Structure formats: C-alpha cells, structure tokens
Amino acid sequence: MPQTHDLRRHMAAVAQTKKITGAMQIVSSTRIKRVMSHIEYNHQYFNTVQRTMKELLLSSQDISHPYLDGRAGGRRTCIVISGDKGLAGDYNAKVLEFALEPLQPQEQGGGLITLGHTADAFFEARGITPDVSYSGIVQDPTLDRARGMMYDVLRLYDSGLADEILVIFTSFYGETKNQPVMRRLLPIKLADYGDVKQAQELSEILYEPSPQVVFDMLVPQYVLGILFGVLVQAYASEHYARMTAMQRATQNADEMLEQLTVRYHMARQSAITSEISEITGAALALSQGGTQE
C-alpha cells in the first residue's frame, strides 16, 4: 500500500489540476456569453443582406456580376478554421480530419488557407503546406479582421488563382451544432438562397439608383457576412468544446480526489494499526522479560 506522504502529494497535485481546469471552464463560459451577441446580430444582418440579394436576382433579369458565374476550371481553395490551442476535446481533430477530403490533390491544382496554429501543424505533418496562414484571428474574431480577410479572398478570386472558394469550420447552429461543415463562399449561386424568405412583394420595391448598383454594393457585404459569421461560430464552438472538456476534467478530478482520500485514510489507519501492534508487542516483550527475571 502506498505511503501516506506519497498519497498526500498525489492529492495536492490533483487538487491543483482541478483549480486550473475549473478556471479554464469559467473563462470559456464567459467568452461564449460575450460572443453570443455578435453571432445573433451578424445572423440578423446577414439574413437581411441575403433576402435583399434574392429579391434583386428574382426581380431583375438584367443583373450580372462576375461572382455569380461559375468557372470551368477546377482550382479549389479551402479556408480551414481550427483553434490556436488544445485542451478542447476533439474540436480540432474533427474539423481537420473533415477538411482532408476536399483537400485531396486536384488535376488543376488547389489552394489552402489556414486559421489556427493546430491547422498549420496538422497539414504540415501530412506534407501539405498552407499557401496563406492567418494568426491571431481565431482568438479574437472582429469585423475589421474579417474585412481584411475578405479583401484577400476577393483578390484571390478576381486574379483567377481560384475558381471556387470553400470555408470549412465548426458550426454553432441547428442540427449541425458542434459538427464540422463546409460552405461555398464563391461563386454565388441562386441555390444558396433557397431557404431565404422574401420580406415583401417584389412589385413594391424600388431600388435607387438601380438594382444592379445595389447588388454590386451588397456582394462584398454578403462575403463579409459569411466570413465573420463562420469566425464567430468557430470561436464559440471551440470554447464550448473546451468548457465541456474542462468540466469533465474537473469532475474526474473530484472522483480521483475521493478515491485518493479513501486510500489515504486506509493507509493512515493501516499505519496506526501497525504502530499499535508494534507498541503492544514491545510492551508484551518487556513484561515477559521482567517476569522471567
């Protein structure tokens, strides 16, 4: 049976680990609450942009835009969003394994954009070097950072280096909550608006100076809305996974402390019993020695 001092050291180490996991759980919970308002506001804004774009496309047959037309080329660029840190359960592993299939070598070549240090390490270990890697965004997703990323993505598509741009992230909504999903960023297709409800009758809407100008102004906002939306969803999903993992770790620490406490008391009782036996034996030996004299 282990010595009592070894058990005390083990219990102290587990108690210290429990403090750390408990603190990380609280931090992740706080960050989720802070980002939830961003998710909701962006969701409402993005729905409005989508609805307006759908109404424009349905009301006017003359609207054209280079982002509406698919290209014959097969060059696909994937934007993969993971975390910068671990201790989040299987969050990083699930989204990165999910991203491997669309990243298989293509005849026309493809590209990879990563957000998160774990994504960089994951793909480099498999011989895939990211073309572009953004650092710091996943830990602090802001609208300004998403806008800068949007300009880079649009330049990539405009230059013809990519014929299709996909974004792979962990969803925080609906049936796909906490599951990796893939969404097409460009080109834009009317099928993307299948679930978007129209606000009012098309005949009652007038666009100034023209539907085409309004649509041209909305397209960058549409791309920005997607990028910012997936960034905050990935951020919330990561911290939800970390909060859950740290909660389980804290519970495991409590159970381990209970087991160690029982073992400690048993070891202590055994040591006391052994000492009593030794004292009794010594006293008996002394009494027998005195009787023989």
Side-chain angles (χ1 to χ4, degrees), residues 118-262:
T118 57
D120 296 340
F122 178 85
F123 291 118
E124 288 175 358
R126 287 157 179 79
I128 304 174
T129 302
D131 299 290
V132 180
S133 180
Y134 292 93
S135 61
I137 295 182
V138 293
Q139 289 301 316
D140 186 19
T142 63
L143 195 58
D144 286 339
R145 292 184 173 187
R147 185 176 291 107
M149 186 176 171
M150 176 200 70
Y151 290 136
D152 293 339
V153 169
L154 295 184
R155 281 194 294 267
L156 180 68
Y157 191 82
D158 292 339
S159 63
L161 296 176
D163 301 310
E164 183 181 30
I165 299 179
L166 306 172
V167 58
I168 299 171
F169 65 103
T170 303
S171 173
F172 198 69
Y173 268 125
E175 297 179 356
T176 59
K177 184 175 182 179
N178 301 321
Q179 297 297 323
V181 295
M182 180 170 63
R183 180 168 188 171
R184 185 180 63 256
L185 189 62
L186 290 173
I188 302 171
K189 298 182 179 180
L190 186 59
D192 297 336
Y193 307 106
D195 298 331
V196 180
K197 296 181 179 179
Q198 295 172 210
Q200 47 190 310
E201 294 295 333
L202 300 180
S203 59
E204 298 178 0
I205 301 176
L206 296 176
Y207 297 99
E208 292 292 342
S210 69
Q212 180 66 60
V213 173
V214 174
F215 189 84
D216 292 342
M217 294 176 61
L218 287 176
V219 168
Q221 300 305 314
Y222 170 84
V223 178
L224 176 61
I226 293 180
L227 284 176
F228 184 64
V230 300
L231 284 174
V232 293
Q233 283 194 61
Y235 179 87
S237 298
E238 178 185 359
H239 283 288
Y240 180 82
R242 182 169 292 112
M243 180 185 68
T244 304
M246 293 301 101
Q247 183 179 15
R248 287 196 296 263
T250 303
Q251 292 173 351
N252 292 338
D254 284 330
E255 295 176 1
M256 187 176 293
L257 280 174
E258 290 180 4
Q259 297 173 2
L260 288 172
T261 301
V262 172

